C-alpha cells in the first residue's frame, strides 16, 4: 500500500516530499528511486548534491563542492537551479533554513521537490521542517508527504530457523497470536544429507543476506493540510496522522518480522534509540 501511495506522485505537478532517516539508512537511494519514477524525457529533472552516490540517466546532477563555498551557498545554488526551469528537483541534503525555504517556494511555484533530510521519525521531520521554513501556511500549501526509513538485514532463506514465540513476547509487541504462530531467527548451522553440521553456503554462517527498507510514511490530504496550518502542538499533529492510519516504524518493522523477512532481534537492533554523543560520563 505504501508503493501505491508513492505511485501517485507520478501524476503530481508540484509539492515537497520529505525523504528522511538517520545517516546510512538509504535515504539518497530512495530519492533516486522516486526521481526515476518520473519520465526524464518529458520533464526537466535536476538534483543538487554534495556527494552523488550514483548516476541518473538524463538527469542533470549538480554537485556542490568546496570550490563553491567561496562564491555561493548551497541554498543559492538550489535557487539558481529552480530559476533555470527545472520541473523536478532532488535536494540531496537539507539542514538549514534557507535551503528549506527555497525548496518550499519552488514547490509553490509549480515544481516537484524531493528533499533528503536527517530525522528520526515522520513527526520529528515535520517539526524540523516547520521550524526551518518558519511559515506554517507555506508548509501546509506545499508539503505533500513525508517518509522515514531504516534498513533491516534480511534473513537467509536457506538456513533461517522457525520457532514458536512465547506469549509474553507477543503481548509486549502487540502482535496478533493468530498471525505470529511462527517467527524466524538466523540459523546457526545447516546439516547435509548425512546429518553433519556445516556452514550455510549462501550466508557464510552470518544468518543474513541483503537488506530491505522499512518505511514510516504519511501522504497529506486536505484535512491534514488544515491540521498542519492550525494545530500548534506537534503531538496533536501526531494524533491526526494516526487517525489517517499512519503506522509507526515499529509496526511496519513487525510486519516484516511476522512475514519472516527479518528477525525480531534485528528489528530491536535497528530501532534502538541512537546514543547521544558528548553525553557526560556517569560519576
Amino acid at each position: 500500500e505504501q508503493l501505491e501511495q508513492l505511485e501517485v506522485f507520478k501524476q503530481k505537478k508540484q509539492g515537497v516530499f520529505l525523504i528522511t532517516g538517520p545517516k546510512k539508512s538509504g535515504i539518497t537511494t530512495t530519492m533516486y528511486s522516486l526521481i526515476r519514477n518520473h519520465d526524464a524525457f518529458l520533464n526537466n529533472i535536476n538534483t543538487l548534491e554534495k556527494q552523488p552516490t550514483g548516476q541518473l540517466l538524463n538527469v542533470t546532477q549538480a554537485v556542490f563542492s568546496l570550490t563553491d563555498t567561496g562564491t555561493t551557498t548551497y541554498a543559492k545554488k538550489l535557487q539558481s537551479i529552480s530559476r533555470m526551469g527545472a520541473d523536478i528537483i532532488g535536494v540531496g541534503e537539507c539542514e538549514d533554513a534557507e535551503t528549506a525555504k527555497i525548496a518550499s517556494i519552488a514547490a509553490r511555484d509549480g515544481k516537484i521537490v524531493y528533499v533528503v533530510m536527517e530525522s528520526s521519525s515522520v513527526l520529528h521531520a515535520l517539526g524540523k521542517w516547520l521550524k526551518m521554513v518558519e511559515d506554517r501556511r507555506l508548509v501546509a500549501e506545499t508539503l505533500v508527504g513525508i517518509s522515514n526509513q531504516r534498513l533491516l538485514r534480511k534473513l537467509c532463506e536457506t538456513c533461517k530457523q522457525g520457532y514458536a514465540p512465547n506469549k509474553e513476547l507477543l503481548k509486549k509487541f502487540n502482535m496478533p497470536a493468530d498471525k505470529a504462530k511462527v517467527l524466524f531467527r538466523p540459523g546457526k548451522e545447516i546439516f547435509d544429507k548425512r546429518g553433519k553440521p556445516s556452514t550455510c553456503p549462501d550466508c557464510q554462517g552470518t544468518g543474513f543476506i541483503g537488506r530491505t527498507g522499512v518505511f514510516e510514511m504519511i501522504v497529506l490530504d486536505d484535512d491534514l493540510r488544515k491540521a498542519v496550518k492550525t494545530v500548534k502542538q506537534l503531538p496533536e499533529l501526531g494524533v491526526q496522522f494516526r487517525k489517517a492510519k499512519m503506522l509507526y516504524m515499529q509496526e511496519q518493522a513487525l510486519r516484516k518480522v511476522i512475514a519472516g523477512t527479518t528477525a525480531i532481534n534485528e528489528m530491536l537492533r535497528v530501532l534502538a534509540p541512537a546514543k547521544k554523543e558528548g553525553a557526560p560520563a556517569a560519576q
Side-chain angles (χ1 to χ4, degrees), residues 117-169:
M117 189 170 72
E118 281 187 45
S119 179
S120 58
S121 70
V122 161
L123 201 59
H124 177 256
L126 176 60
K128 193 173 179 180
W129 190 248
L130 284 166
K131 188 175 180 181
M132 288 196 294
V133 178
E134 296 179 325
D135 185 339
R136 278 184 175 269
R137 185 176 293 275
L138 180 59
V139 170
E141 287 175 0
T142 57
L143 190 62
V144 294
I146 309 169
S147 69
N148 188 263
Q149 69 186 70
R150 301 289 189 282
L151 290 175
L152 297 169
R153 291 181 297 170
K154 294 166 67 178
L155 285 166
C156 173
E157 291 295 327
T158 302
C159 68
K160 69 181 184 182
Q161 297 177 342
Y163 67 97
N166 62 52
K167 292 180 181 179
E168 289 301 317
L169 182 71

Side-chain angles (χ1 to χ4, degrees), residues 35-277:
I35 284 173
R36 287 194 190 100
N37 210 23
H38 299 274
D39 192 326
F41 293 101
L42 297 178
N43 297 283
N44 180 4
I45 307 176
N46 288 249
T47 66
L48 176 60
E49 303 168 77
K50 291 179 181 176
Q51 291 182 319
T53 57
Q55 288 189 328
L56 293 166
L57 194 63
N58 297 312
V59 172
T60 303
Q61 291 177 269
V63 179
F64 185 82
S65 61
L66 287 172
T67 55
D68 292 312
T69 55
T71 56
T72 188
T73 64
Y74 189 86
K76 286 178 180 176
K77 194 157 186 174
L78 174 62
Q79 190 173 47
S80 66
I81 289 170
S82 176
R83 286 175 175 173
M84 286 170 67
D87 302 307
I88 299 163
I89 304 172
V91 183
E93 297 88 7
C94 181
E95 293 300 326
D96 66 89
E98 190 181 3
T99 301
K101 289 171 185 174
I102 288 170
S104 295
I105 291 168
R108 187 189 63 192
D109 293 342
K111 304 176 193 304
I112 297 173
V113 188
Y114 293 108
V115 178
V116 172
M117 189 170 72
E118 281 187 45
S119 179
S120 58
S121 70
V122 161
L123 201 59
H124 177 256
L126 176 60
K128 193 173 179 180
W129 190 248
L130 284 166
K131 188 175 180 181
M132 288 196 294
V133 178
E134 296 179 325
D135 185 339
R136 278 184 175 269
R137 185 176 293 275
L138 180 59
V139 170
E141 287 175 0
T142 57
L143 190 62
V144 294
I146 309 169
S147 69
N148 188 263
Q149 69 186 70
R150 301 289 189 282
L151 290 175
L152 297 169
R153 291 181 297 170
K154 294 166 67 178
L155 285 166
C156 173
E157 291 295 327
T158 302
C159 68
K160 69 181 184 182
Q161 297 177 342
Y163 67 97
N166 62 52
K167 292 180 181 179
E168 289 301 317
L169 182 71
L170 297 178
K171 188 184 293 185
K172 180 181 178 181
F173 292 107
N174 198 25
M175 297 167 75
D178 58 325
K179 292 184 179 180
K181 292 178 181 177
V182 179
L183 298 184
F184 290 87
R185 57 191 169 203
K188 295 181 180 178
E189 57 189 7
I190 60 173
F191 296 88
D192 60 21
K193 292 178 182 178
R194 297 178 181 177
K196 290 185 178 180
S198 62
T199 302
C200 176
D202 293 331
C203 68
Q204 304 302 315
T206 62
F208 297 94
I209 295 180
R211 293 187 292 180
T212 183
V214 58
F215 300 84
E216 183 179 272
M217 191 172 76
I218 190 72
V219 174
L220 274 68
D221 58 17
D222 290 340
D223 289 337
L224 290 177
R225 291 180 191 285
K226 186 177 178 181
V228 168
K229 193 184 296 184
T230 58
V231 176
K232 302 299 182 183
Q233 299 299 321
L234 208 56
E236 178 57 30
L237 282 171
V239 171
Q240 298 297 323
F241 285 2
R242 195 65 171 167
K243 285 181 180 177
K245 299 182 179 179
M246 184 188 84
L247 295 180
Y248 294 131
M249 182 68 73
Q250 180 173 290
E251 293 170 315
Q252 295 287 11
L254 280 170
R255 295 172 80 179
K256 292 188 179 281
V257 171
I258 292 170
T261 305
T262 193
I264 199 158
N265 284 347
E266 171 67 2
M267 181 196 80
L268 294 173
R269 181 188 71 83
V270 171
L271 299 188
K275 293 180 181 178
K276 292 184 178 180
E277 295 180 6

